[in-house]
């Protein structure tokens, strides 16, 4: 769903902390027709210009809270990511990305479900590997975005 | 019969912030003659799980201002919410109970649970539903049928206990008899062959006439999404749960007969034929008294050739379904549930569908088939 609109096209930025570029970020929406309890959101398959950025270097900024890692998000079992709300996906990468054009391959993993599934126990042990389409039921394919990075912002 | 709209129909306009929730309610109240019913998906339309008292006041104000009625609230069941364990039946009941209380605050008469919601979860929340006078309806969604345990266990419970607060919410997708043309077109844009679409339509016709090379009764209790995932795995590595094996093997052979050098996507397109429920209109008539409300599912309203201003979904038997409900004495709501916008969302916004126009077309058809909203002298 919303294949080309899950990342806001003008949102790619470098993140700057105390004058130092610590990574990059983009604004994202949920790939579903509804929101979900935040705990169900397990991270992204994210390849930028051929480089894979796994969920371990990703943090997620939503609901007015500072960016949180997906280990912490896992514990947000009563907090909701509402359908209306844009969130910011941050990626730790010292030096950030170069100004100009980037190719981003993107898939969101949210283990929302229609009731009980055969994968439930397995996904309690570990969420599905990002990029496989498992746990991404409404937009199971990896989407390629061509985005421009124009400026950095103080995070 | 009464008419309404599930605001699910406006999910894309909502996502792009082209229509606010109030805009959607106003559209139903002011632009759809004879319609006043509002259905929502709680996690789509609301700040969830608590939209706040200010919102609740505003909501009731909108209902009054636009002359609309809260009919059914649709709720989900994400069983991995707690992440460190799969939600127990008791926890699932608690979630449903919270949703029932939320529905009551917003004035809804009914709560719809998903087709995959276990009966024990419904039964567990029933005492609260009875207490608050909220009716619980299980969605019957393709490829499920009205025939089968998922419906019969509800009917048996109603007959045994006499409860007036449990029933079913048929999704008109169960009266579909072929894959929608817009679904097939999207598959072709993604690289599926035209022969695969043709094979899928032909196989659907064989299944409808009862002359297909296999029997679907083993797989009808699985959701369409789960069947698609399972068939994809079968195509890739030959594995699947035993009950699916017979159907999947014949399906694969059928695709290979009809499609030159089929790729993974071609197999999946042919498999869309088994997502049709082929449920019986007689059963619908017999069960009409247990219907809480209906999802008027549709994927694409096209103009009927030679009849300007009149519309149809070429893949769903609306005439048959509405006729069966009328014969069975159903006098509740049919709420439009437009889903076909999804099949254009691989494209740019400018090439996507106009949900408002599609729902207006759907209501032209609903008024024509039910007589609701048409002045007596025009009938």
């Amino acid at each position: 769903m919303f294949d080309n609109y899950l990342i806001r096209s003008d949102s790619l930025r470098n993140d700057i902390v105390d004058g130092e570029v610590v990574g990059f970020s983009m604004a994202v929406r949920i790939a579903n027709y509804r929101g979900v309890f935040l705990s169900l959101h397990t991270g992204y398959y994210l390849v930028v210009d051929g480089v894979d950025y796994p969920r371990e270097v990703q943090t997620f900024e939503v609901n007015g809270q500072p960016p949180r890692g997906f280990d912490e998000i896992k514990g947000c079992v009563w907090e909701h990511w509402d359908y209306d709300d844009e969130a910011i996906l941050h990626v730790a990468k010292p030096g950030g990305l170069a100004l100009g054009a980037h190719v981003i391959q993107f898939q969101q993993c949210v283990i929302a479900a229609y009731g009980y599934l055969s994968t439930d126990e397995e996904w309690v042990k570990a969420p599905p590997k990002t990029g496989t389409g498992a746990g991404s039921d409404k937009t199971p394919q990896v989407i390629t975005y061509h985005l421009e990075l124009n400026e950095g912002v103080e995070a | 019969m009464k008419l309404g709209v599930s605001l699910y129909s406006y999910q894309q306009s909502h996502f792009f912030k082209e229509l606010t929730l109030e805009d959607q309610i106003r559209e139903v109240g002011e632009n759809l003659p004879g319609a006043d019913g509002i259905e929502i998906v709680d996690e789509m339309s609301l700040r969830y799980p608590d939209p706040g008292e200010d919102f609740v006041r505003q909501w009731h104000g909108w209902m009054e201002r636009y002359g609309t009625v809260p009919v059914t609230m649709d709720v989900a069941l994400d069983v991995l919410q707690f992440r460190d364990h799969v939600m127990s039946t008791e926890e699932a009941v608690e979630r449903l109970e919270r949703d029932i209380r939320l529905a009551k605050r917003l004035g809804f008469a009914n709560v719809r649970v998903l087709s995959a919601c276990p009966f024990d979860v419904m039964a567990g929340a029933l005492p609260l539903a009875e207490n608050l006078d909220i009716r619980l309806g299980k969605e019957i969604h393709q490829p499920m049928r009205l025939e089968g345990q998922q419906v019969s266990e509800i009917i048996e419970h109603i007959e045994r206990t006499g409860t007036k607060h449990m029933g079913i919410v048929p999704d008109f997708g169960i009266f579909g008899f072929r894959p929608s043309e817009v679904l097939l077109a999207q598959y072709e844009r993604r690289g599926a062959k035209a022969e695969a679409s043709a094979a899928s339509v032909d196989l659907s016709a064989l299944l409808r006439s009862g002359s297909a090379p296999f029997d679907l009764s083993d797989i009808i209790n699985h959701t369409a999404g789960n069947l698609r995932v399972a068939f994809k795995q079968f195509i890739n590595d030959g594995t699947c749960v035993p009950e699916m094996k017979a159907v999947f093997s014949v399906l694969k052979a059928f695709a290979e007969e009809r499609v030159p050098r089929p790729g993974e996507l071609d197999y999946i397109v042919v498999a869309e034929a088994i997502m049709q429920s082929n449920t019986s209109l007689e059963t619908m008539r017999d069960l009409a008294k247990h219907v809480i409300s209906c999802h008027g599912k549709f994927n694409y309203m096209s103009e009927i050739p030679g009849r300007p201003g009149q519309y149809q979904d070429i893949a769903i038997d609306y005439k048959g379904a509405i006729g069966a409900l009328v014969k069975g004495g159903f006098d509740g709501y049919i709420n439009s549930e437009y889903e076909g916008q999804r099949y254009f969302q691989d494209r740019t916004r400018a090439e996507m569908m106009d949900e408002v126009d599609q729902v207006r077309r759907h209501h032209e058809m609903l008024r024509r088939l039910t007589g609701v909203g048409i002045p007596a002298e025009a009938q």
Side-chain angles (χ1 to χ4, degrees):
Chain A
M1 289 178 70
F2 309 121
D3 298 6
N4 303 307
Y5 297 89
L6 299 172
I7 309 177
R8 177 156 53 78
S9 62
D10 62 355
S11 68
L12 186 62
R13 298 274 193 282
N14 275 330
D15 286 342
I16 302 169
V17 174
D18 298 332
E20 195 181 333
V21 177
V22 297
F24 59 94
S25 64
M26 63 200 80
V28 299
R29 294 283 297 279
I30 191 162
N32 203 328
Y33 62 79
R34 63 177 174 102
V36 293
F37 281 110
L38 188 56
S39 55
L40 296 160
H41 186 22
T42 73
Y44 292 81
Y45 173 77
L46 189 73
V47 173
V48 183
D49 305 323
V51 178
D52 185 5
Y53 296 92
R55 57 162 69 97
E56 289 72 25
V57 300
Q58 301 168 8
T59 54
F60 194 69
E61 182 183 348
V62 69
N63 294 336
Q65 302 288 314
R68 289 172 280 186
F70 281 97
D71 274 350
E72 190 180 345
I73 295 280
K74 182 180 174 183
C76 301
V77 301
W78 292 110
E79 186 178 336
H80 203 256
W81 183 15
D82 287 332
Y83 185 57
D84 285 5
D85 291 350
E86 192 172 82
I88 308 290
L89 172 63
H90 296 271
V91 180
K93 181 186 188 291
L97 298 174
L99 291 180
H102 295 279
V103 179
I104 299 181
Q105 290 163 289
F106 176 93
Q107 185 185 72
Q108 187 180 74
C109 186
V110 176
I111 47 177
Y114 288 94
Y116 294 92
L117 294 174
S118 58
T119 46
D120 288 343
E121 293 295 345
E122 182 189 333
W123 289 357
V124 163
K125 290 188 197 112
K129 186 173 158 52
T130 53
T132 57
S136 304
D137 64 341
K138 292 293 183 285
T139 313
Q141 63 282 33
V142 172
I143 310 288
T144 301
Y145 289 77
H146 297 269
L147 300 182
E148 289 278 327
L149 185 142
N150 296 311
E151 55 185 313
V153 289
E154 191 73 33
Chain B
M1 201 97 71
K2 305 180 192 79
L3 303 183
V5 177
S6 170
L7 303 185
Y8 176 95
S9 303
Y10 304 125
Q11 58 184 265
Q12 173 180 291
S13 310
H14 192 126
F15 180 92
F16 287 114
K17 302 190 191 300
E18 295 160 352
L19 293 181
T20 64
L21 180 56
E22 183 179 4
D23 293 336
Q24 297 167 36
I25 294 164
R26 183 192 301 116
E27 168 65 16
V28 178
E30 296 188 345
N31 292 323
L32 301 174
D36 64 359
I38 299 288
E39 177 159 348
I40 65 167
V41 174
D42 55 1
E43 287 182 280
M44 176 189 137
S45 291
L46 308 176
R47 293 280 159 195
Y48 188 85
D50 178 10
E53 272 313 300
D54 287 349
F55 173 83
V56 172
R57 270 192 297 279
Q58 191 176 43
W59 168 267
H60 289 292
W62 290 334
M63 294 301 129
E64 199 167 319
R65 186 174 321 148
Y66 301 115
T68 46
V69 181
V71 178
T72 300
M73 189 175 93
D74 302 353
V75 306
L77 181 59
D78 289 312
V79 299
L80 296 180
Q81 178 186 346
F82 302 120
R83 292 298 305 278
D84 59 352
H85 66 279
V86 180
M87 198 180 263
S88 66
T89 298
E90 293 70 29
E91 288 168 329
V93 169
E94 284 167 21
R95 171 164 184 173
L96 179 52
E97 287 176 337
R98 283 192 299 276
D99 285 332
I100 289 169
R101 289 194 183 92
L102 178 57
K104 187 69 185 175
R105 276 170 81 195
L106 295 172
F108 284 97
N110 313 310
V111 164
R112 182 237 53 181
V113 300
L114 293 163
S115 59
C117 178
F119 173 77
D120 289 348
V121 175
M122 286 181 84
L126 186 61
L128 177 70
E130 288 176 327
N131 200 19
L132 297 179
D133 194 22
I134 293 271
R135 296 188 303 165
L136 288 181
K138 176 181 265 203
E139 179 171 33
I140 309 302
H141 190 285
Q142 54 94 211
M144 277 171 72
R145 296 175 182 170
L146 294 166
E147 301 82 5
Q149 190 201 333
Q150 306 222 32
V151 175
S152 63
E153 64 191 1
I154 290 174
I155 307 305
E156 282 161 20
H157 189 80
I158 296 167
E159 286 171 354
R160 196 171 62 246
T161 63
T163 182
K164 300 194 181 325
H165 291 86
M166 193 185 263
I168 57 173
V169 175
D171 177 297
F172 275 35
I174 64 174
F175 303 108
F177 52 83
R178 53 156 286 178
S180 171
E181 71 270 46
V182 292
L183 171 66
L184 295 176
Q186 186 186 55
Y187 275 127
E188 289 184 29
R189 285 198 299 280
R190 287 184 172 149
K193 298 183 180 75
E195 292 93 335
S197 295
S200 194
V201 171
D202 290 350
L203 181 56
S204 301
L206 292 174
L207 282 162
R208 193 183 194 196
S209 65
S211 48
F214 50 75
D215 172 24
L216 290 179
S217 54
D218 289 341
I219 58 163
I220 50 171
N221 288 332
H222 296 275
T223 68
N226 294 348
L227 279 174
R228 287 188 188 100
V229 170
F231 187 61
K232 190 172 163 182
Q233 179 166 345
F234 179 76
I235 291 304
N236 285 321
D237 65 12
T239 65
C240 65
V241 295
E243 72 211 55
M244 296 181 181
K245 187 124 194 173
V247 170
F248 284 0
S249 303
V250 180
L251 191 57
K252 182 166 180 284
F254 187 89
E256 286 161 359
E257 255 170 51
R258 300 286 304 264
V259 185
R261 298 175 311 284
E264 181 186 277
L265 207 50
D266 296 312
Y267 286 109
I268 289 169
V269 169
V270 175
E272 287 298 328
I274 69 164
M275 308 303 168
Q276 314 305 320
S277 303
N278 293 295
T279 200
S280 132
L281 296 174
E282 286 70 38
T283 315
M284 183 73 273
R285 188 191 57 208
D286 294 345
L287 295 178
K289 61 181 174 293
H290 298 301
V291 173
I292 301 286
S293 63
C294 297
H295 279 174
K297 168 66 53 62
F298 68 100
N299 287 305
Y300 187 68
M301 298 304 294
S302 56
E303 197 166 65
I304 302 172
R307 293 164 73 180
Q310 296 194 359
Y311 302 93
Q312 63 182 350
D313 186 313
I314 63 164
I316 299 175
D317 181 12
Y318 262 87
K319 199 175 172 188
I322 287 176
L325 286 163
V326 168
K327 280 189 206 129
F330 176 66
D331 61 358
Y333 279 88
I334 299 178
N335 294 328
S336 299
E337 197 192 50
Y338 176 39
E339 190 165 284
Q341 68 277 67
R342 189 174 294 177
Y343 305 127
F344 295 81
Q345 289 175 347
D346 54 321
R347 319 190 86 179
T348 65
R349 175 66 192 97
E351 298 166 300
M352 289 183 199
M353 293 303 293
D354 180 338
E355 293 170 324
V356 169
D357 180 56
Q358 282 286 305
V359 173
R360 288 179 184 177
R361 290 178 176 208
H362 189 239
H363 271 252
E364 180 284 316
M365 178 184 73
L366 291 179
R367 288 192 299 275
R368 183 161 41 80
L369 296 180
T370 62
V372 175
I374 297 178
E377 63 271 21
Q379 284 190 37

